[in-house]
Coordinates of all heavy atoms in Angstrom, one line a residue:
M36 N 0.8 -1.2 0.0 CA 0.0 0.0 0.0 C 0.9 1.3 -0.1 O 0.6 2.2 -0.6 CB -1.0 0.0 1.3 CG -1.8 1.1 1.3 SD -3.1 1.1 -0.2 CE -4.6 1.3 0.7
K37 N 1.9 1.2 0.7 CA 2.8 2.4 0.8 C 3.5 2.8 -0.5 O 3.7 3.9 -0.9 CB 3.9 2.2 1.7 CG 3.5 2.3 3.2 CD 4.7 2.2 4.2 CE 4.2 2.5 5.6 NZ 5.3 2.6 6.4
E38 N 3.6 1.7 -1.4 CA 4.1 2.0 -2.7 C 3.2 2.9 -3.6 O 3.7 3.8 -4.3 CB 4.3 0.7 -3.5 CG 5.3 -0.2 -2.9 CD 4.7 -1.1 -1.8 OE1 3.5 -1.4 -1.7 OE2 5.5 -1.6 -0.8
R39 N 1.9 2.7 -3.3 CA 0.9 3.5 -4.1 C 0.9 5.0 -3.6 O 0.9 5.8 -4.5 CB -0.6 3.0 -3.8 CG -0.8 1.7 -4.4 CD -0.6 1.7 -5.9 NE -1.6 0.8 -6.6 CZ -1.7 0.7 -7.8 NH1 -0.8 1.3 -8.6 NH2 -2.6 -0.1 -8.3
F40 N 1.2 5.3 -2.4 CA 1.3 6.6 -1.9 C 2.6 7.2 -2.5 O 2.6 8.4 -2.8 CB 1.4 6.6 -0.4 CG 0.0 6.3 0.3 CD1 -0.2 5.3 1.1 CD2 -1.1 7.0 0.0 CE1 -1.4 4.9 1.7 CE2 -2.3 6.8 0.5 CZ -2.4 5.8 1.4
A41 N 3.7 6.4 -2.5 CA 5.0 6.9 -3.2 C 4.8 7.2 -4.6 O 5.2 8.2 -5.1 CB 6.0 6.0 -2.9
Q42 N 4.0 6.5 -5.3 CA 3.7 6.7 -6.8 C 2.9 8.0 -6.8 O 3.2 8.8 -7.8 CB 3.0 5.5 -7.3 CG 3.9 4.3 -7.6 CD 3.0 3.1 -8.1 OE1 1.8 3.1 -7.9 NE2 3.7 2.2 -8.8
A43 N 1.9 8.1 -6.0 CA 1.1 9.3 -6.2 C 2.0 10.7 -5.9 O 1.8 11.6 -6.5 CB 0.0 9.3 -5.2
A44 N 2.9 10.5 -4.8 CA 3.7 11.6 -4.5 C 4.6 12.0 -5.8 O 4.9 13.2 -6.2 CB 4.5 11.3 -3.4
E45 N 5.1 10.9 -6.6 CA 6.0 11.2 -7.7 C 5.2 11.9 -8.9 O 5.7 12.6 -9.5 CB 6.7 9.9 -8.1 CG 7.6 9.4 -7.1 CD 8.7 10.4 -6.9 OE1 9.2 11.1 -7.7 OE2 9.1 10.6 -5.5
V46 N 4.0 11.3 -9.0 CA 3.1 12.0 -10.0 C 2.9 13.4 -9.7 O 3.1 14.4 -10.5 CB 1.7 11.2 -10.2 CG1 0.7 12.1 -11.0 CG2 2.0 9.9 -10.7
L47 N 2.6 13.7 -8.5 CA 2.5 15.2 -8.1 C 3.6 16.0 -8.3 O 3.6 17.1 -8.6 CB 1.9 15.2 -6.7 CG 0.4 14.9 -6.5 CD1 0.0 14.8 -4.9 CD2 -0.4 15.9 -7.1
S48 N 4.9 15.3 -8.0 CA 6.1 16.0 -8.2 C 6.3 16.5 -9.6 O 6.8 17.6 -9.9 CB 7.3 15.2 -7.8 OG 7.3 15.0 -6.4
D49 N 5.7 15.7 -10.6 CA 5.9 15.9 -12.0 C 5.0 17.1 -12.3 O 5.2 17.8 -13.4 CB 5.5 14.8 -12.9 CG 6.5 13.6 -12.7 OD1 7.8 13.9 -12.3 OD2 6.1 12.6 -13.2
V50 N 3.9 17.4 -11.5 CA 2.9 18.5 -11.8 C 3.3 19.7 -11.1 O 3.0 20.9 -11.6 CB 1.5 18.0 -11.3 CG1 0.5 19.0 -11.5 CG2 1.2 16.8 -12.3
V51 N 3.9 19.6 -9.9 CA 4.0 20.8 -9.1 C 4.9 21.9 -9.7 O 4.6 23.0 -9.7 CB 4.6 20.4 -7.6 CG1 5.1 21.7 -6.9 CG2 3.5 19.7 -6.9
E52 N 6.1 21.5 -10.2 CA 7.0 22.4 -10.8 C 6.4 23.2 -12.0 O 6.5 24.4 -12.0 CB 8.3 21.8 -11.3 CG 9.3 22.6 -11.9 CD 10.0 23.4 -10.9 OE1 10.1 23.0 -9.7 OE2 10.6 24.6 -11.2
P53 N 5.8 22.6 -13.0 CA 5.2 23.3 -14.1 C 4.0 24.2 -13.6 O 3.9 25.3 -14.0 CB 4.6 22.2 -15.1 CG 5.4 21.1 -14.7 CD 5.9 21.1 -13.3
A54 N 3.3 23.7 -12.6 CA 2.2 24.5 -12.1 C 2.7 25.7 -11.4 O 2.2 26.9 -11.4 CB 1.4 23.7 -11.1
A55 N 3.8 25.7 -10.6 CA 4.4 26.8 -9.9 C 5.0 27.7 -10.9 O 4.8 29.0 -10.7 CB 5.5 26.2 -9.0
L56 N 5.5 27.3 -11.9 CA 6.0 28.2 -12.9 C 4.9 29.1 -13.7 O 5.0 30.2 -13.9 CB 6.8 27.5 -14.1 CG 8.2 27.0 -13.6 CD1 8.8 26.0 -14.7 CD2 9.1 28.2 -13.2
A57 N 3.7 28.3 -13.9 CA 2.6 28.9 -14.6 C 1.8 29.8 -13.7 O 1.3 30.8 -14.1 CB 1.8 27.9 -15.2
L58 N 1.6 29.4 -12.4 CA 0.8 30.1 -11.6 C 1.4 30.8 -10.4 O 0.7 31.8 -9.7 CB -0.3 29.0 -10.9 CG -1.1 28.1 -11.8 CD1 -1.9 27.0 -11.0 CD2 -2.0 29.1 -12.7
G59 N 2.7 30.6 -10.2 CA 3.4 31.3 -9.1 C 3.4 30.2 -8.0 O 2.6 29.5 -7.7
S60 N 4.5 30.3 -7.3 CA 4.8 29.3 -6.1 C 4.0 29.5 -5.0 O 3.7 28.6 -4.2 CB 6.3 29.3 -5.8 OG 6.7 30.6 -5.3
D61 N 3.3 30.7 -4.8 CA 2.5 30.9 -3.7 C 1.0 30.9 -4.1 O 0.1 31.3 -3.3 CB 2.8 32.2 -3.0 CG 3.9 32.3 -2.1 OD1 4.3 31.1 -1.7 OD2 4.4 33.3 -1.8
S62 N 0.8 30.4 -5.3 CA -0.7 30.1 -5.8 C -1.4 29.2 -4.8 O -0.7 28.0 -4.4 CB -0.7 29.7 -7.2 OG -1.8 29.1 -7.6
G63 N -2.6 29.4 -4.6 CA -3.4 28.4 -3.7 C -3.4 27.1 -4.3 O -3.3 26.1 -3.5
E64 N -3.5 26.9 -5.6 CA -3.6 25.7 -6.3 C -2.3 24.9 -6.1 O -2.2 23.7 -5.9 CB -4.0 25.8 -7.7 CG -5.2 26.3 -7.9 CD -5.5 27.8 -8.0 OE1 -4.5 28.5 -7.7 OE2 -6.6 28.3 -8.3
V65 N -1.2 25.7 -6.3 CA 0.2 25.0 -6.2 C 0.4 24.6 -4.7 O 1.0 23.5 -4.4 CB 1.2 26.0 -6.6 CG1 2.7 25.4 -6.3 CG2 1.2 26.4 -8.0
L66 N 0.1 25.4 -3.8 CA 0.2 25.1 -2.4 C -0.6 23.9 -2.1 O -0.1 22.9 -1.2 CB -0.1 26.3 -1.5 CG 0.8 27.4 -1.5 CD1 0.3 28.5 -0.6 CD2 2.2 27.1 -1.2
D67 N -1.8 23.8 -2.5 CA -2.6 22.6 -2.3 C -2.1 21.2 -2.8 O -2.1 20.2 -2.3 CB -4.1 22.8 -2.9 CG -4.9 23.7 -2.0 OD1 -4.5 24.0 -0.9 OD2 -5.9 24.2 -2.6
L68 N -1.4 21.5 -4.1 CA -0.8 20.3 -4.7 C 0.5 19.8 -3.8 O 0.7 18.7 -3.6 CB -0.3 20.7 -6.0 CG -1.3 20.7 -7.2 CD1 -0.7 21.3 -8.5 CD2 -1.9 19.4 -7.5
R69 N 1.2 20.9 -3.4 CA 2.2 20.5 -2.5 C 1.8 20.0 -1.2 O 2.5 19.0 -0.7 CB 3.1 21.7 -2.2 CG 3.8 22.3 -3.4 CD 4.7 23.5 -3.1 NE 5.6 23.3 -2.0 CZ 6.0 24.4 -1.3 NH1 5.6 25.7 -1.5 NH2 6.8 24.2 -0.2
M70 N 0.8 20.3 -0.6 CA 0.2 19.8 0.5 C -0.1 18.2 0.3 O 0.1 17.4 1.1 CB -1.0 20.5 1.1 CG -1.6 19.9 2.3 SD -0.5 20.0 3.7 CE -1.1 21.6 4.4
E71 N -0.8 18.0 -0.8 CA -1.1 16.6 -1.2 C 0.1 15.7 -1.3 O 0.2 14.6 -0.9 CB -2.0 16.6 -2.5 CG -3.5 17.0 -2.2 CD -4.3 16.9 -3.6 OE1 -4.0 16.0 -4.2 OE2 -5.1 17.8 -3.7
R72 N 1.1 16.4 -2.0 CA 2.3 15.7 -2.2 C 3.0 15.3 -0.8 O 3.4 14.2 -0.5 CB 3.3 16.5 -3.0 CG 4.7 15.7 -3.2 CD 5.6 16.5 -4.2 NE 5.9 17.8 -3.6 CZ 6.7 18.7 -4.3 NH1 7.1 18.4 -5.5 NH2 7.0 19.8 -3.8
A73 N 3.0 16.2 0.1 CA 3.6 16.0 1.4 C 2.8 14.9 2.2 O 3.4 14.1 2.8 CB 3.6 17.3 2.3
A74 N 1.5 14.9 2.0 CA 0.7 14.0 2.7 C 0.9 12.5 2.1 O 1.0 11.7 2.9 CB -0.8 14.3 2.6
F75 N 1.0 12.5 0.8 CA 1.3 11.2 0.2 C 2.7 10.6 0.6 O 2.9 9.4 0.7 CB 1.2 11.2 -1.3 CG -0.3 11.3 -1.8 CD1 -0.7 12.2 -2.8 CD2 -1.2 10.4 -1.2 CE1 -1.9 12.1 -3.2 CE2 -2.5 10.5 -1.6 CZ -2.9 11.3 -2.6
R76 N 3.7 11.6 0.7 CA 5.1 11.2 1.1 C 5.0 10.6 2.5 O 5.6 9.6 2.9 CB 5.9 12.3 1.1 CG 6.4 12.7 -0.3 CD 7.4 13.8 -0.3 NE 7.9 14.0 -1.7 CZ 8.5 15.1 -2.1 NH1 8.6 16.1 -1.4 NH2 9.0 15.1 -3.4
F77 N 4.3 11.3 3.4 CA 4.1 10.9 4.7 C 3.4 9.5 4.8 O 3.9 8.6 5.6 CB 3.3 11.9 5.5 CG 3.1 11.6 6.9 CD1 4.1 11.8 7.9 CD2 2.0 10.9 7.4 CE1 3.9 11.5 9.3 CE2 1.7 10.6 8.8 CZ 2.8 10.8 9.6
L78 N 2.3 9.3 4.2 CA 1.6 8.1 4.0 C 2.4 7.0 3.4 O 2.2 5.8 3.9 CB 0.2 8.3 3.4 CG -0.8 9.2 4.1 CD1 -2.0 9.5 3.1 CD2 -1.3 8.6 5.4
G79 N 3.3 7.4 2.6 CA 4.0 6.4 2.0 C 5.3 6.0 2.8 O 6.2 5.2 2.4
G80 N 5.5 6.7 4.0 CA 6.6 6.4 4.8 C 7.9 7.2 4.5 O 8.9 7.0 5.2
D81 N 7.8 8.3 3.6 CA 9.0 9.0 3.3 C 8.9 10.3 4.2 O 8.8 11.3 3.8 CB 8.9 9.4 1.9 CG 10.3 10.0 1.5 OD1 11.1 10.2 2.3 OD2 10.3 10.3 0.2
Y82 N 9.2 10.0 5.5 CA 9.0 11.1 6.5 C 10.1 12.2 6.4 O 10.0 13.3 6.6 CB 9.1 10.5 7.9 CG 8.1 9.4 8.1 CD1 8.6 8.1 8.4 CD2 6.7 9.6 8.0 CE1 7.7 7.0 8.6 CE2 5.9 8.5 8.2 CZ 6.3 7.3 8.5 OH 5.5 6.3 8.8
R83 N 11.3 11.7 5.8 CA 12.4 12.6 5.7 C 12.1 13.7 4.7 O 12.6 14.8 4.8 CB 13.7 11.7 5.4 CG 14.9 12.6 5.2 CD 16.1 11.5 4.9 NE 15.8 10.8 3.8 CZ 16.2 11.1 2.5 NH1 16.7 12.4 2.2 NH2 16.0 10.2 1.4
R84 N 11.3 13.3 3.6 CA 11.0 14.3 2.6 C 9.8 15.0 2.9 O 9.5 16.3 2.5 CB 11.0 13.7 1.3 CG 12.3 13.3 0.7 CD 12.3 12.5 -0.4 NE 11.8 13.3 -1.6 CZ 11.5 12.8 -2.7 NH1 11.6 11.3 -3.0 NH2 11.1 13.6 -3.8
A85 N 8.8 14.4 3.8 CA 7.6 15.0 4.0 C 7.6 16.2 5.0 O 7.1 17.2 4.7 CB 6.6 13.8 4.5
L86 N 8.5 16.0 6.0 CA 8.6 17.0 7.1 C 9.2 18.4 6.6 O 8.5 19.4 6.9 CB 9.6 16.5 8.3 CG 9.7 17.5 9.3 CD1 8.4 17.9 10.1 CD2 10.7 17.0 10.4
P87 N 10.2 18.4 5.7 CA 10.5 19.8 5.3 C 9.5 20.3 4.4 O 9.3 21.7 4.4 CB 11.8 19.6 4.4 CG 12.3 18.1 4.8 CD 11.1 17.4 5.4
E88 N 8.8 19.5 3.7 CA 7.6 20.2 2.8 C 6.5 20.7 3.7 O 6.0 21.8 3.4 CB 7.1 19.0 1.8 CG 6.0 19.4 0.9 CD 6.5 19.9 -0.4 OE1 7.4 19.2 -0.9 OE2 6.2 21.0 -0.8
F89 N 6.2 20.0 4.8 CA 5.2 20.4 5.7 C 5.6 21.8 6.3 O 4.9 22.8 6.5 CB 4.8 19.4 6.8 CG 3.9 18.4 6.3 CD1 4.1 17.0 6.5 CD2 2.6 18.7 5.7 CE1 3.3 16.1 6.1 CE2 1.8 17.7 5.3 CZ 2.1 16.4 5.4
D90 N 6.9 21.8 6.7 CA 7.4 23.1 7.3 C 7.4 24.2 6.3 O 7.0 25.3 6.7 CB 8.9 22.8 7.8 CG 9.0 22.0 9.1 OD1 8.0 21.9 9.7 OD2 10.1 21.5 9.3
A91 N 7.8 24.0 5.1 CA 7.7 25.1 4.2 C 6.3 25.4 3.9 O 6.0 26.7 3.6 CB 8.4 24.6 2.9
L92 N 5.3 24.6 3.8 CA 4.0 24.9 3.5 C 3.4 25.6 4.7 O 2.6 26.5 4.5 CB 3.2 23.5 3.3 CG 3.3 23.0 1.9 CD1 2.8 21.5 1.9 CD2 2.7 23.8 0.9
A93 N 3.8 25.3 5.9 CA 3.2 26.1 7.0 C 3.6 27.6 7.0 O 2.8 28.3 7.1 CB 3.8 25.5 8.4
G94 N 4.9 27.8 6.6 CA 5.2 29.2 6.4 C 4.5 29.9 5.2 O 4.0 31.0 5.4
A95 N 4.4 29.1 4.1 CA 3.7 29.8 3.0 C 2.3 30.0 3.2 O 1.7 31.0 2.9 CB 3.8 28.7 1.8
F96 N 1.5 29.1 3.9 CA 0.1 29.3 4.2 C 0.0 30.5 5.2 O -0.9 31.2 5.2 CB -0.5 28.0 4.8 CG -0.9 27.0 3.7 CD1 -0.5 25.7 3.8 CD2 -1.7 27.4 2.6 CE1 -0.8 24.8 2.9 CE2 -2.0 26.5 1.7 CZ -1.6 25.1 1.8
F97 N 0.9 30.4 6.2 CA 0.8 31.6 7.2 C 1.0 33.0 6.5 O 0.3 33.9 6.8 CB 2.0 31.4 8.2 CG 1.9 32.3 9.3 CD1 1.1 32.1 10.4 CD2 2.7 33.4 9.4 CE1 1.2 33.0 11.5 CE2 2.7 34.4 10.4 CZ 1.9 34.1 11.5
R98 N 1.9 33.0 5.4 CA 2.2 34.2 4.8 C 1.0 34.5 3.8 O 0.7 35.7 3.6 CB 3.4 33.9 3.9 CG 4.3 35.2 3.7 CD 5.7 34.7 2.9 NE 5.6 33.7 1.8 CZ 5.9 32.6 1.9 NH1 6.4 32.1 3.0 NH2 5.8 31.7 0.9
T99 N 0.5 33.5 3.1 CA -0.5 33.9 2.0 C -2.0 33.9 2.5 O -2.7 34.6 2.0 CB -0.3 32.9 0.9 OG1 -0.6 31.6 1.3 CG2 1.0 33.0 0.2
A100 N -2.3 33.0 3.4 CA -3.7 32.8 3.8 C -3.9 33.7 5.2 O -5.0 33.9 5.5 CB -4.1 31.4 4.2
G101 N -2.8 34.0 5.8 CA -3.0 34.7 7.1 C -2.9 33.9 8.3 O -3.2 32.7 8.2
P102 N -2.5 34.4 9.4 CA -2.3 33.7 10.6 C -3.5 33.1 11.2 O -3.5 32.1 12.1 CB -1.6 34.7 11.5 CG -1.9 36.0 11.0 CD -2.2 35.9 9.6
T103 N -4.7 33.7 10.9 CA -5.9 33.2 11.5 C -6.8 32.3 10.6 O -7.8 31.9 10.9 CB -6.8 34.3 12.0 OG1 -7.0 35.2 10.9 CG2 -6.1 35.2 13.0
S104 N -6.2 32.1 9.4 CA -6.9 31.2 8.4 C -6.8 29.7 8.9 O -5.8 29.5 9.6 CB -6.3 31.3 7.0 OG -5.1 30.8 6.9
E105 N -7.7 28.9 8.4 CA -7.6 27.5 8.7 C -6.1 26.9 8.5 O -5.6 26.2 9.2 CB -8.6 26.6 8.1 CG -8.6 25.2 8.4 CD -9.7 24.5 7.7 OE1 -10.8 25.1 7.4 OE2 -9.6 23.3 7.5
K106 N -5.7 27.1 7.2 CA -4.3 26.7 6.7 C -3.2 27.4 7.5 O -2.2 26.9 7.8 CB -4.3 26.8 5.2 CG -5.1 25.8 4.5 CD -5.0 25.9 3.2 CE -6.1 24.8 2.4 NZ -6.0 24.9 0.9
G107 N -3.5 28.6 7.8 CA -2.4 29.4 8.5 C -2.2 28.9 9.9 O -1.1 29.1 10.4
L108 N -3.1 28.3 10.5 CA -3.1 27.8 11.9 C -2.2 26.7 12.0 O -1.7 26.4 13.2 CB -4.5 27.6 12.4 CG -5.4 28.8 12.6 CD1 -6.8 28.3 13.0 CD2 -4.7 29.8 13.7
I109 N -1.8 26.0 10.9 CA -0.9 24.8 11.1 C 0.5 25.4 11.3 O 1.4 24.5 11.8 CB -0.9 23.9 9.8 CG1 -0.4 24.5 8.6 CG2 -2.2 23.3 9.7 CD1 -0.2 23.6 7.5
A110 N 0.9 26.6 11.0 CA 2.2 27.0 11.1 C 2.8 26.9 12.4 O 4.0 26.4 12.4 CB 2.3 28.5 10.7
P111 N 2.2 27.2 13.6 CA 2.9 27.1 14.9 C 3.2 25.5 15.2 O 4.1 25.3 15.9 CB 1.9 27.6 15.8 CG 1.0 28.5 15.0 CD 0.9 27.8 13.6
F112 N 2.5 24.6 14.6 CA 2.7 23.3 14.9 C 3.7 22.6 14.0 O 4.1 21.4 14.2 CB 1.3 22.5 14.8 CG 0.3 23.0 15.7 CD1 -0.7 23.8 15.2 CD2 0.4 22.8 17.0 CE1 -1.6 24.4 16.1 CE2 -0.5 23.4 17.9 CZ -1.5 24.1 17.4
C113 N 4.2 23.3 13.0 CA 5.2 22.7 12.0 C 6.6 23.3 12.2 O 7.5 23.0 11.4 CB 4.7 23.0 10.6 SG 3.2 22.0 10.2
G114 N 6.8 24.1 13.1 CA 8.1 24.7 13.4 C 8.5 25.8 12.5 O 9.6 26.3 12.5
S115 N 7.6 26.4 11.8 CA 7.8 27.6 11.0 C 7.4 28.9 11.8 O 6.6 29.0 12.6 CB 7.1 27.6 9.7 OG 7.5 26.6 8.9

């Protein structure tokens, strides 16, 4: 089962870079794709790559959505 999550993370990796170039790295759609990729990495057991992604996302959501938004509230819990 973990292999499927790892495959999903790799597919999303192929999409995130072009999406960030087209929409901007702080685009809500790109941040959501990155969140999915981080979650799939975590579920696939790739904690070493998931944690830095979650940390970076926490800061990005705090910056773009605001500190009181639902997504911005994860920032204090991720070390950012």
Side-chain angles (χ1 to χ4, degrees):
M36 184 64 129
K37 286 187 175 189
E38 299 83 26
R39 293 297 217 182
F40 291 120
Q42 288 175 335
E45 290 307 312
V46 168
L47 283 172
S48 291
D49 292 341
V50 173
V51 168
E52 181 73 24
L56 290 173
L58 303 172
S60 60
D61 282 343
S62 160
E64 291 87 354
V65 172
L66 294 176
D67 288 342
L68 287 170
R69 289 179 55 204
M70 179 66 89
E71 288 183 33
R72 179 177 63 184
F75 285 137
R76 284 179 173 165
F77 180 83
L78 292 170
D81 191 356
Y82 310 117
R83 188 176 50 89
R84 291 175 67 194
L86 180 60
E88 184 88 50
F89 281 128
D90 283 342
L92 283 164
F96 282 128
F97 188 83
R98 210 176 42 254
T99 60
T103 58
S104 71
E105 182 180 334
K106 290 181 179 177
L108 290 174
I109 66 169
F112 302 104
C113 290
S115 291

